[in-house]
């Protein structure tokens, strides 16, 4: 059985997808991504909820709530928090919910400081540089990976 409940989290400035630096992030909006993600999960018999905030503490609170909701997996684009948030890392580790880290751009082809992630070493997988398709790949991975784990 695959992941039944998935939480899609997006960090700061991702509410601007579709208009922010389209040469880097493309023209797809966050709303488009969320709608596609819900449909993808539903087609696989899972549910997906989503949350975006520009505030670190609110993102941490949402991760804490995920544990009490029985969330099976988290797909997260921590955005700028990727490179600076020990608190967000601690929240993800504290709830003990497997997570996949996603980035629209290839963080390794950008400024040197963007290549450092506080999450990659603890993530089940890291997807970057695939554009918004990375979200679809992450959800597919979560659905299949959780299915494989259930067989063990």
């Amino acid at each position: 059985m695959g992941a039944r409940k998935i939480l899609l989290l997006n960090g700061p400035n991702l509410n601007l997808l579709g208009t922010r630096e389209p040469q880097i992030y493309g023209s797809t909006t966050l709303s488009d991504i969320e709608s596609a993600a819900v449909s993808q999960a539903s087609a696989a018999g899972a549910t997906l909820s989503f949350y975006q905030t520009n505030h670190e503490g609110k993102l941490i609170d949402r991760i804490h709530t995920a544990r009490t909701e029985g969330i099976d997996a988290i797909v997260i684009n921590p955005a700028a928090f990727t490179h600076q948030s020990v608190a967000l890392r601690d929240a993800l580790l504290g709830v003990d919910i497997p997570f996949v880290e996603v980035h629209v751009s290839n963080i390794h082809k950008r400024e040197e400081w963007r290549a450092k992630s506080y999450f990659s070493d603890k993530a089940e997988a890291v997807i970057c540089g695939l554009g918004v398709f990375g979200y679809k790949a992450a959800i597919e991975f979560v659905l299949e990976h959780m299915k494989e784990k259930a067989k063990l």
Side-chain angles (χ1 to χ4, degrees), residues 9-14 20 25 53 56 59 75-90 92 99-108 110-123 125-128 135:
L9 297 175
N10 282 284
N13 301 311
L14 290 168
R20 174 188 175 211
Y25 300 106
T53 183
E56 184 179 31
L59 200 53
V75 173
I76 183 169
N77 184 339
F81 293 142
T82 302
H83 323 291
Q84 64 187 13
S85 183
V86 173
L88 190 54
R89 173 192 169 98
D90 287 348
L92 286 164
F99 69 94
V100 175
E101 178 182 352
V102 175
H103 300 282
V104 175
S105 69
N106 183 345
I107 61 175
H108 304 287
R110 298 186 64 195
E111 300 91 343
E112 185 178 330
W113 56 267
R114 288 190 194 269
K116 170 64 178 157
S117 167
Y118 280 93
F119 307 98
S120 296
D121 66 318
K122 298 299 181 183
V126 179
I127 299 170
C128 70
Y135 287 98

Side-chain angles (χ1 to χ4, degrees), residues 1-6 71-74 97-100 124 138-152:
M1 170 97 38
R4 306 306 303 161
K5 294 176 87 173
I6 302 167
I71 297 293
D72 297 303
I74 295 172
I97 298 171
F99 69 94
V100 175
E124 296 290 323
I139 293 164
E140 185 65 27
F141 174 81
V142 163
L143 292 166
E144 289 301 315
H145 181 72
M146 298 301 289
K147 190 183 300 180
E148 291 302 315
K149 275 192 159 183
K151 290 179 183 176
L152 300 178

Side-chain angles (χ1 to χ4, degrees), residues 19-32:
T19 60
R20 174 188 175 211
E21 300 174 273
Q23 71 281 10
I24 295 173
Y25 300 106
S27 59
T28 304
T29 67
L30 183 58
S31 179
D32 295 336

Side-chain angles (χ1 to χ4, degrees), residues 51-71:
Y51 183 74
Q52 186 278 328
T53 183
N54 296 318
H55 305 279
E56 184 179 31
K58 289 182 179 182
L59 200 53
I60 290 167
D61 289 343
R62 184 64 187 94
I63 291 167
H64 290 176
T65 302
R67 182 169 61 179
T68 63
E69 296 172 333
I71 297 293

Side-chain angles (χ1 to χ4, degrees), residues 3-8 37-50 69-73 139 142-143:
R4 306 306 303 161
K5 294 176 87 173
I6 302 167
L7 175 60
L8 173 60
V38 168
S39 295
Q40 179 184 4
S42 179
T47 60
L48 183 138
S49 55
F50 49 85
E69 296 172 333
I71 297 293
D72 297 303
I139 293 164
V142 163
L143 292 166

